[in-house]
Amino acid sequence: MKTFNEFGQPVGEALTDWQPRPHPSRVVLQGHYCRLEPLRVEHAGALFSAYALAGDTRSWTWLLREPDATAAEFAEWVASVCELSDPMHFTVIDNQTQAPVGTLALMRIDPKNGVVEVGHVHFSSLLSRTPMSTEAQYLLMRYVFDTLGYRRYEWKCNSLNEPSRKAALRLGFQFEGRFRQALVIKGRNRDTDWFSILDKEWPALASAFEGWLATDNFTADGKQKRSLESWRETRV
């Protein structure tokens, strides 16, 4: 519904009660399958080993960094970023093994406008395509929307990164467009695709996540009974 100013010009919806939101904190976010902890140097060795299980470096192709040659080099990188307030990195901990299995971060944090992006997603083979990987994303979304009260949650990726594009859509993000020649990464052009979730969309998405993550949505051998998309369709 359009609103108009005194000149008859269309203007945005008035947000009369809006206040800048809190900056994210280094909190622990507990889930059923996993938990998120602020990234620490103590996580570095296990993370390096988890990433090495892949056998090759294809999971690094779309990241901003090249893979580290040694555990010591990776630990140096962790030490250089783990205290940053933006991006704020989190480690995904497997609740069964208590081992770090991947990382993701909140970045481009804009409390004034209530906007934040999830990025630096690097999931090891111990985490990818498991209920934990979905729960990790859900836990961070829930923190941003329900605890911090942000209005907009963004996902951006290389337009050629089809797995990331599919993941965003599966998780309920809406595709917004492509920024051509947005970046130069590792000496190559990057067109960037933008996705988002808005606060008004979050309640239905949260309900779908909770339905999908419920233990009775999985068989004894861990296979899903209903897809996340089908849970979302019943809640629209």
Side-chain angles (χ1 to χ4, degrees), residues 41-58:
V41 173
E42 291 81 0
H43 297 150
L47 285 169
F48 184 82
S49 297
Y51 295 140
L53 291 174
D56 58 38
T57 59
R58 71 183 62 197

Side-chain angles (χ1 to χ4, degrees), residues 55-189:
D56 58 38
T57 59
R58 71 183 62 197
S59 70
W60 293 80
T61 297
W62 310 109
L63 299 180
L64 303 182
R65 304 172 54 245
E66 296 289 2
D68 299 290
T70 66
E73 290 179 2
F74 182 71
E76 288 180 5
W77 175 79
V78 171
S80 73
V81 302
C82 65
E83 296 296 330
L84 297 176
S85 61
D86 188 355
M88 181 176 289
H89 293 265
F90 291 85
T91 303
V92 184
I93 307 291
D94 184 333
N95 282 342
Q96 282 196 322
T97 66
Q98 299 301 308
V101 289
T103 59
L104 70 173
L106 294 175
M107 57 187 287
R108 300 173 67 93
I109 301 166
D110 181 0
K112 179 181 178 181
N113 293 298
V115 179
V116 67
E117 177 183 346
V118 59
H120 295 287
V121 179
H122 193 187
F123 288 177
S124 74
S125 59
L126 297 172
L127 178 55
S128 296
R129 298 181 178 276
T130 69
M132 280 190 297
S133 67
T134 298
E135 186 177 56
Q137 297 283 0
Y138 163 70
L139 290 173
L140 207 54
M141 291 181 198
R142 186 177 67 181
Y143 175 58
V144 165
F145 284 118
D146 291 348
T147 302
L148 301 179
Y150 276 56
R151 303 177 64 231
R152 175 179 167 87
Y153 192 72
E154 298 178 338
W155 177 296
K156 303 186 185 81
C157 67
N158 189 311
S159 64
L160 300 176
N161 187 352
E162 192 60 25
S164 183
R165 288 177 46 81
K166 289 181 177 179
L169 295 172
R170 174 183 173 272
L171 292 169
F173 286 84
Q174 300 294 311
F175 176 63
E176 294 184 328
R178 179 166 297 170
F179 282 39
R180 300 176 299 162
Q181 296 188 185
L183 297 170
V184 177
I185 303 295
K186 300 177 182 177
R188 297 180 183 275
N189 174 65

